[in-house]
Amino acid sequence: MIEQEFDAIVVGAGMSGNAAAYTMASQGLTVLQLERGEYPGSKNVQGAIMYADMLEQIIPDFRDDAPLERHLVEQRFWVMDDTSHTGMQYRSDDFNEAKPNRYTIIRAQFDKWFSRKVRQAGATVLCETTVTELVRSASGKVIGVRTDRAGGPIYADVVVLAEGVNGLLGTRAGLRKMPKPESVALAVKEMHFLPDEVIEQRFGLQGDEGCVIEAAGTISRSMAGLAFLYTNKESISLGIGCLVSDFAQTMESPYVLLDNFKNHPSIRPLIAGSEVKEYSAHLIPEGGYKAIPQLFGDGWVAVGDAAQLNNAIHREGSNLAMTSGRIAGEAIIEIKGRNQPMIRRNLALYKTMLDKSFVVKDLMKYKDMPALIHTNSRNFFMTYPQLMSQAAQNFMRVDGTPKIEKEKATTAAFIKARSRWGLISDVVRLALAWR
Amino acid sequence: MHIVICIKQVPDSAQIRVHPVTNTIMRQGVPTIINPYDLFALEEALKLRGAHGGEVTVLTMGPPMAEDALRKALTYGADRAVLLTDRCFAGSDTLATSFALSRAIVRIAETFGAPDIVFAGKQTIDGDTAQVGPGIAKRLGLLQFTYVAKIDSIDVDAREITVKRRSEGGTQMLKSRLPCLITMLEGTNEIRRGSLDDAMRAARSQIVKWSAAEAGIEDLNKCGLRGSPTVVKRVFAPTTKAEKATQIDMTDKTQHDLADELIAAIFTRQPALEHELAFDGGQ
Amino acid sequence: MSNANREAPPSAGRAGIKRELPEHFRDYRHVWVFIELERGEVHPVSFELLGEGRKLADKLGIQLAGIVLGPPGEATQHAVAEAFAYGADLVYLVEAPLLADYRNEPFTKAMTDLVNTHKPEILLLGATTLGRDLAGSVATTLLTGLTADCTELDVDVDGSLAATRPTFGGSLLCTIYTLNYRPQMATVRPRVMAMPPRTDKPVGRVIRHKLSMTEEEIITKVLGFNLDRQSAKANLAYADIVVAGGLGLGSAENLQLVKNLARAIGAEYGCSRPLVQKGWMPADRQVGQTGKTIRPKLYIAAGISGAIQHRVGVEGADLIVAINTDPNAPIFEFAHLGIVTDAIRFLPALTEAFTRRLSPHSHDKLAS
Ligand SMILES: Cc1cc2nc3c(=O)[nH]c(=O)nc-3n(C[C@H](O)[C@H](O)[C@H](O)COP(=O)(O)OP(=O)(O)OC[C@H]3O[C@@H](n4cnc5c(N)ncnc54)[C@H](O)[C@@H]3O)c2cc1C
Ligand SMILES: Cc1cc2nc3c(=O)[nH]c(=O)nc-3n(C[C@H](O)[C@H](O)[C@H](O)COP(=O)(O)OP(=O)(O)OC[C@H]3O[C@@H](n4cnc5c(N)ncnc54)[C@H](O)[C@@H]3O)c2cc1C
Ligand SMILES: Nc1ncnc2c1ncn2[C@@H]1O[C@H](COP(=O)(O)O)[C@@H](O)[C@H]1O
């Protein structure tokens, strides 16, 4: 029987759970971490970009042995219609710095590495163990968990819910509501394996340099969605995600969208001849600030995707996850240091600290964005991309039409599609939401 | 009773990719697993421990990361794990592998008690040779039972064992003595799910790690490349057939038309078949 | 091979190891094939190996010998005769009551004694349960190299045995040599090599060897033998026609469609591996790298994608017919005839069409 009681139990070994467990264990707390996957990372789907700053704050010398794929030197934003893309591209040799800022990673490997660090820091990590239930005291305080393995329950002063976007445990325990369909995106993703020299050649990369493409437009069939392509060392991760509520409404299939994306004339040559492995689907919380649920209570805190902490506009998730995990860990250490109980009043410290961080500040900044994009998805993801493409083509094609007429035609097309007022209001609202 | 079981960590070959240019294995992103055949043996060992008491020691020879496989075996309920790891083992073929493993088993016997049974998997999914088990048995002078479908009885005091063993046309029933080496047939049982206690113990227990020297292996000429009589001369991809299948045209045809057309095509290509089928088919 | 953390290098590396046969191995000569005799019957893989051994022996200009280990009696004499009929130049025979049933101890002893006395250059065995059990023990006792499950055997310019086998789950092939040791041992699975023609030949030179072992020295006793019930015994490997189903059939019930077709045309039925894993079919029905290798005259695969591990088990078939809904399924890369259609609907139609065509009156109908 398990007699021992832990200072903290962390549910989930994703980015946020690992950050929390590592932070606490390395400060001497007794930590038990439970992960349902076969190994950490086995259930995790990510594009995947990892942000160095946030990891550095947890493990400063991570570059020594973390499995990093490529550091990013180039980012492309593409607005696509069915046959073309209009793009913006930024590439800088400044990103070839001693401590690069962003890396592509493969979550399965990265999470394994992170988990090894967590174990080395002294936490007990059990995989293939699903937490089925939170155990509460008579007063309702969370005091432990039950798992799907024989034996238990296991008790702890505090439970860190780092269970990812579904947040089933927390929802089932009535700690918060199920995320709404309009605040989660469903993303499907594939890994395309190619020899490294082929990748380097196709994207103009050298050594460990990497490139990212983010694309939006008609590929999402007028739903609010984004497609992405990330270069890893010997593979390309690509995928597309749209809001669950949109999928439900349009009855589009994510697989078809992904297929279309892959067969888009701008993408197809980039992945030609690759071997596809690992098809997977996953949810991303995209509700932003307004969708953040209750973050703490008696005996528990929620971090990462489980707390809907995800910046859909910048496609950042893992950094918010790591930071919220770290901050939760630090708050718990602080409360423990003061010898105070892990009750709601004290755990409010986590929220206070989080509010001061970039996590909440960033989400706050874009708080109106999700609603705007959602209600105007047809314009943003179908009409404008088409208009832009027409405009660009009109501009490029030399056919004897006077330039002045070309410009007029373009303007007319925009106005016809969205009306003068519509255009102005879109711009203004976008600017406001961005502010 | 002390049971030693040899397991191997293998790349999940269902997910292996071959580099199109260099024809080498691209290991990136290929997960490793415990050789599935070894799990039948591990479960059998755990069952025997349940029935007769004693301890189960898992043993593997491999790179440091093979520790993951051992830890996993501990979560299933094994009592102890030994990792034999040393650069000098790199490149071992089955002869060198069975040498190193047999020496480690001798060291296990000295340190933790002599095993009554040594288990190995039927074969591995990467090497696929089914030779390491018999090799270990021979080196240790153990009686050997491969392809065992069932262990009927064990009398630990009388040192007797009876097993059913798969042979080509049936099942052999054998009676023999302990200690012995057994390889279990696939499908004989299913690996259990360890309890929370097992999982907790596995997460915390120390894995015994031995270098060649620590395992008492002095003759390095018998290890790794040097100890391997076989040499891999060439690795290459299977040639693809130039000709693809002739597709039977489907347009505007009922399943019946299609069937008739297919049969006609079969008999055109293999006229002899029609004759043979007419004689023995259809009864 | 490929054990421990051996990453097979493409060409250099290991192959660079010096090749110099030690003095005491220089007089090892001739190709030996183990004639697998169990319970009175010779396993056909032995003849397939004699066919292959013949080619090797001819290339090397040496002799081909069959090794027969068995109890005194007719069955053993018959095995000797068959060895000659399938091409052996001579036979080494160990006849002893101890060899009535297969047991590792006396067979290993008999075989290693023979090798040490008569010194073969190459020793081939079938990769059967018996052959693998024996080969592993013999190779370890002799401390020589053994290459398992070969799909191709050849001799290279300097006379070494080049044994080719699949590796890494069949994604690659590798050619393995046993340098500096003798004999060079290899096992080959049933049906991988073609069956050579049988010619009635008089029994040639038989070299007898005694087994220096008594029943008392053998610890393991045979209590009994249960023959497989005929119905459960899938004689897949040697069937002339095989119909197999894969995951594309969708359910265990639909396998009946495969069985129906098989029954209608007198075929054996088989399946891909996932069906065995799901418990829809017994393991002895699995076709492929970890199942049976087959060489039928006609192979019909329904709802099978044709993964490399499946492919290697069926490539020897004379005619492969694939039924698959996916026009890009890999099976069409190596099948001869393809039909892109739903097997669940097509199989009954095919069964019926065959039955119609093969019914006793069908020939009249065709003629008219
Ligand atoms: C396709 C896609 C692309 C993305 N790309 C990026 C990107 O490029 N950059 C970026 O920063 N972010 C990206 N994100 C978002 C990022 O992946 C998430 O924000 C981040 O993984 C959140 O981490 P987490 O620890 O909160 O949750 P997760 O990583 O989801 O981890 C949760 C863990 O908890 C486990 N678990 C769940 N329930 C239980 C239970 N009951 N018991 C035990 N264990 C349980 C799960 O198995 C899982 O391992 C992407 C997401 C997707 C879907
Ligand atoms: C070490 C190792 C050893 C292995 N050994 C073997 C082995 O010995 N034998 C073996 O078979 N496999 C083996 N495998 C597994 C092999 O890799 C494949 O996974 C397996 O062969 C796939 O089986 P399948 O074709 O039935 O299923 P799938 O790959 O799922 O294919 C199903 C096919 O059915 C088609 N289909 C779907 N619906 C229909 C329909 N209604 N009508 C017609 N077609 C339909 C689909 O298009 C698809 O092509 C091994 C794997 C490993 C890693
Ligand atoms: N490196 C190894 N470490 C431990 N056991 C091994 C190793 N290699 C092979 N074995 C054991 O030997 C069995 C047969 O392996 P093989 O001969 O490679 O098919 C496996 O199922 C294992 O039980």
PDB file of all heavy atoms in Angstrom, chain B residues 7 13 28 30 105 113 186 199 205 223 237 281:
ATOM      1  N   ILE B   7      15.298  -9.660 -21.795  1.00  0.00           N
ATOM      2  CA  ILE B   7      14.446  -8.869 -22.685  1.00  0.00           C
ATOM      3  C   ILE B   7      15.334  -7.981 -23.548  1.00  0.00           C
ATOM      4  O   ILE B   7      16.455  -7.676 -23.190  1.00  0.00           O
ATOM      5  CB  ILE B   7      13.430  -7.987 -21.920  1.00  0.00           C
ATOM      6  CG1 ILE B   7      14.144  -6.921 -21.098  1.00  0.00           C
ATOM      7  CG2 ILE B   7      12.525  -8.836 -21.038  1.00  0.00           C
ATOM      8  CD1 ILE B   7      13.205  -5.854 -20.570  1.00  0.00           C
ATOM      9  N   SER B  13       9.493  -1.771 -35.184  1.00  0.00           N
ATOM     10  CA  SER B  13       9.863  -1.849 -36.607  1.00  0.00           C
ATOM     11  C   SER B  13       8.707  -1.486 -37.524  1.00  0.00           C
ATOM     12  O   SER B  13       8.903  -1.212 -38.695  1.00  0.00           O
ATOM     13  CB  SER B  13      10.436  -3.208 -36.969  1.00  0.00           C
ATOM     14  OG  SER B  13       9.639  -4.230 -36.452  1.00  0.00           O
ATOM     15  N   GLN B  28      15.113   8.555 -36.295  1.00  0.00           N
ATOM     16  CA  GLN B  28      14.460   9.685 -35.670  1.00  0.00           C
ATOM     17  C   GLN B  28      12.961   9.454 -35.548  1.00  0.00           C
ATOM     18  O   GLN B  28      12.293   9.083 -36.508  1.00  0.00           O
ATOM     19  CB  GLN B  28      14.705  10.959 -36.459  1.00  0.00           C
ATOM     20  CG  GLN B  28      14.373  12.150 -35.607  1.00  0.00           C
ATOM     21  CD  GLN B  28      14.411  13.432 -36.400  1.00  0.00           C
ATOM     22  OE1 GLN B  28      13.980  13.497 -37.538  1.00  0.00           O
ATOM     23  NE2 GLN B  28      14.918  14.465 -35.777  1.00  0.00           N
ATOM     24  N   VAL B  30      11.453   7.155 -34.180  1.00  0.00           N
ATOM     25  CA  VAL B  30      11.015   5.767 -34.084  1.00  0.00           C
ATOM     26  C   VAL B  30      11.024   5.343 -32.619  1.00  0.00           C
ATOM     27  O   VAL B  30      12.070   5.305 -31.994  1.00  0.00           O
ATOM     28  CB  VAL B  30      11.933   4.830 -34.899  1.00  0.00           C
ATOM     29  CG1 VAL B  30      11.460   3.387 -34.777  1.00  0.00           C
ATOM     30  CG2 VAL B  30      11.950   5.258 -36.351  1.00  0.00           C
ATOM     31  N   ILE B 105      24.419 -13.684 -16.544  1.00  0.00           N
ATOM     32  CA  ILE B 105      23.557 -14.565 -15.752  1.00  0.00           C
ATOM     33  C   ILE B 105      24.386 -15.277 -14.677  1.00  0.00           C
ATOM     34  O   ILE B 105      23.937 -15.467 -13.551  1.00  0.00           O
ATOM     35  CB  ILE B 105      22.807 -15.565 -16.670  1.00  0.00           C
ATOM     36  CG1 ILE B 105      21.809 -14.785 -17.538  1.00  0.00           C
ATOM     37  CG2 ILE B 105      22.067 -16.611 -15.845  1.00  0.00           C
ATOM     38  CD1 ILE B 105      21.151 -15.576 -18.639  1.00  0.00           C
ATOM     39  N   GLY B 113      21.589 -15.089  -6.344  1.00  0.00           N
ATOM     40  CA  GLY B 113      21.113 -16.472  -6.241  1.00  0.00           C
ATOM     41  C   GLY B 113      20.950 -17.099  -7.614  1.00  0.00           C
ATOM     42  O   GLY B 113      20.603 -16.423  -8.578  1.00  0.00           O
ATOM     43  N   GLU B 186       4.314 -17.176 -28.920  1.00  0.00           N
ATOM     44  CA  GLU B 186       3.473 -15.989 -28.852  1.00  0.00           C
ATOM     45  C   GLU B 186       2.030 -16.390 -28.531  1.00  0.00           C
ATOM     46  O   GLU B 186       1.614 -17.518 -28.798  1.00  0.00           O
ATOM     47  CB  GLU B 186       3.510 -15.211 -30.174  1.00  0.00           C
ATOM     48  CG  GLU B 186       2.859 -15.883 -31.348  1.00  0.00           C
ATOM     49  CD  GLU B 186       3.844 -16.692 -32.165  1.00  0.00           C
ATOM     50  OE1 GLU B 186       4.812 -17.234 -31.576  1.00  0.00           O
ATOM     51  OE2 GLU B 186       3.640 -16.790 -33.388  1.00  0.00           O
ATOM     52  N   ALA B 199       4.187   0.206  -9.992  1.00  0.00           N
ATOM     53  CA  ALA B 199       4.593   1.370 -10.767  1.00  0.00           C
ATOM     54  C   ALA B 199       5.475   2.286  -9.920  1.00  0.00           C
ATOM     55  O   ALA B 199       6.492   2.810 -10.374  1.00  0.00           O
ATOM     56  CB  ALA B 199       3.365   2.120 -11.268  1.00  0.00           C
ATOM     57  N   SER B 205      13.099   2.369  -8.157  1.00  0.00           N
ATOM     58  CA  SER B 205      14.166   1.425  -7.858  1.00  0.00           C
ATOM     59  C   SER B 205      15.411   1.718  -8.687  1.00  0.00           C
ATOM     60  O   SER B 205      15.347   2.272  -9.792  1.00  0.00           O
ATOM     61  CB  SER B 205      13.696  -0.008  -8.046  1.00  0.00           C
ATOM     62  OG  SER B 205      13.191  -0.154  -9.337  1.00  0.00           O
ATOM     63  N   CYS B 223      33.484 -10.545 -27.252  1.00  0.00           N
ATOM     64  CA  CYS B 223      32.386  -9.572 -27.199  1.00  0.00           C
ATOM     65  C   CYS B 223      32.338  -8.722 -28.461  1.00  0.00           C
ATOM     66  O   CYS B 223      33.346  -8.568 -29.155  1.00  0.00           O
ATOM     67  CB  CYS B 223      32.578  -8.629 -26.009  1.00  0.00           C
ATOM     68  SG  CYS B 223      32.527  -9.496 -24.467  1.00  0.00           S
ATOM     69  N   ALA B 237      18.020  -2.020 -49.980  1.00  0.00           N
ATOM     70  CA  ALA B 237      16.561  -2.031 -49.981  1.00  0.00           C
ATOM     71  C   ALA B 237      16.071  -3.105 -50.936  1.00  0.00           C
ATOM     72  O   ALA B 237      16.710  -3.388 -51.938  1.00  0.00           O
ATOM     73  CB  ALA B 237      16.041  -0.667 -50.414  1.00  0.00           C
ATOM     74  N   GLY B 281     -11.633 -28.587 -56.979  1.00  0.00           N
ATOM     75  CA  GLY B 281     -12.357 -27.463 -56.365  1.00  0.00           C
ATOM     76  C   GLY B 281     -13.830 -27.763 -56.260  1.00  0.00           C
ATOM     77  O   GLY B 281     -14.335 -28.768 -56.762  1.00  0.00           O
TER      78      GLY B 281
END
